[in-house]
Amino acid sequence: MRITIRGKNLTVSDKDRAYIERKMQRLERMLDDRSEADVELRLEGNHKIDGSHIVDVTLSTAGQSLRSVATGASFKVAADEVIDKIERRTVEARQRPRDRRRHAQLRYASSSGEPLPIADGEDEVAEPESLVVKVKRFAIEPIFEEDAIARMEELGHAFFIFVNAENERVAVLYRRRDGRYGLIEPAIGGAYSAER
């Protein structure tokens, strides 16, 4: 794996560089030689408060890009957090193809009339021929579109559901193929709004 560490409007100390390179080696066992990691360090606001040191990691592997950001009182603290996040996301990304195969096998078993195996504690639906395999519920608070974009990028998702703070309506933010964003604002009763 090739690792690039750079500072935005700052010089990265040898001590921080060595620490981050050592921590990033944890990911090498999961990735191949073609993988690239871009690590950016930057400072925001008052350097003496917690959260002013920001570490942003973008990992390119197997045709996909994973990104995560963390803040801390020092670059070491932020690096520890962001590397843990990116490691979890890498494991999840590697697990997805296996989950799809497992799901296909379960659907095949359900069409033959056999009961579906469900692990304890999972919210999976065990009805035969059901397309919904997991239900997720979460609390949301009103935020602005810019904050929704930042949160979606931080999570690395292709879409993000939120309550728009400007009009207090549910909206779906999604990433378009051209890299820009789209916003879906549902309207009850079939009324459509004009495009922006």
Side-chain angles (χ1 to χ4, degrees):
M1 177 174 68
R2 194 182 67 145
I3 303 170
T4 305
I5 301 172
R6 59 188 165 82
K8 185 173 183 181
N9 300 326
L10 63 92
T11 303
V12 179
S13 72
D14 292 337
K15 194 171 164 181
D16 286 335
R17 184 178 304 277
Y19 184 81
I20 291 169
E21 285 175 350
R22 186 169 43 87
K23 295 296 269 182
M24 291 293 290
Q25 288 175 354
R26 287 180 8 197
L27 299 173
E28 287 185 343
R29 60 183 157 74
M30 293 184 277
L31 305 171
D32 58 17
D33 295 339
R34 297 171 295 175
S35 301
E36 295 180 12
D38 183 33
V39 182
E40 181 182 271
L41 283 65
R42 63 183 184 273
L43 289 169
E44 275 190 16
N46 186 348
H47 308 310
K48 296 186 183 350
I49 62 169
D50 290 348
S52 63
H53 294 73
I54 302 167
V55 178
D56 187 337
V57 175
T58 304
L59 185 65
S60 300
T61 180
Q64 67 181 17
S65 181
L66 302 173
R67 182 173 177 264
S68 196
V69 180
T71 61
S74 70
F75 286 125
K76 287 183 180 181
V77 172
D80 285 342
E81 185 179 334
V82 78
I83 291 168
D84 286 345
K85 283 182 188 179
I86 206 83
E87 185 176 31
R88 281 192 303 272
R89 299 207 34 227
T90 302
V91 169
E92 289 170 3
R94 289 186 62 194
Q95 186 67 33
R96 274 187 214 121
R98 286 188 221 138
D99 289 345
R100 284 191 190 116
R101 283 194 300 272
R102 179 175 171 260
H103 178 67
Q105 290 169 348
L106 289 175
R107 295 227 354 114
Y108 178 75
S110 71
S111 64
S112 65
E114 296 175 21
L116 298 174
I118 301 297
D120 291 338
E122 291 187 8
D123 290 341
E124 295 189 13
V125 179
E127 298 171 11
E129 297 299 318
S130 177
L131 296 176
V132 178
V133 295
K134 186 173 183 178
V135 175
K136 223 178 194 183
R137 291 182 176 87
F138 54 94
I140 55 177
E141 294 185 19
I143 61 174
F144 292 98
E145 289 176 17
E146 296 81 19
D147 297 328
I149 290 171
R151 184 95 43 93
M152 185 178 84
E153 288 298 324
E154 181 180 313
L155 294 170
H157 291 174
F159 70 93
F160 187 76
I161 300 170
F162 68 103
V163 173
N164 193 331
E166 292 176 4
N167 57 19
E168 294 186 357
R169 297 178 76 178
V170 173
V172 178
L173 178 71
Y174 65 95
R175 185 178 297 111
R176 297 168 47 98
R177 287 187 182 149
D178 63 5
R180 296 186 304 178
Y181 301 96
L183 187 66
I184 299 171
E185 294 179 327
I188 298 175
Y192 294 100
S193 61
E195 288 188 28
R196 291 185 190 186

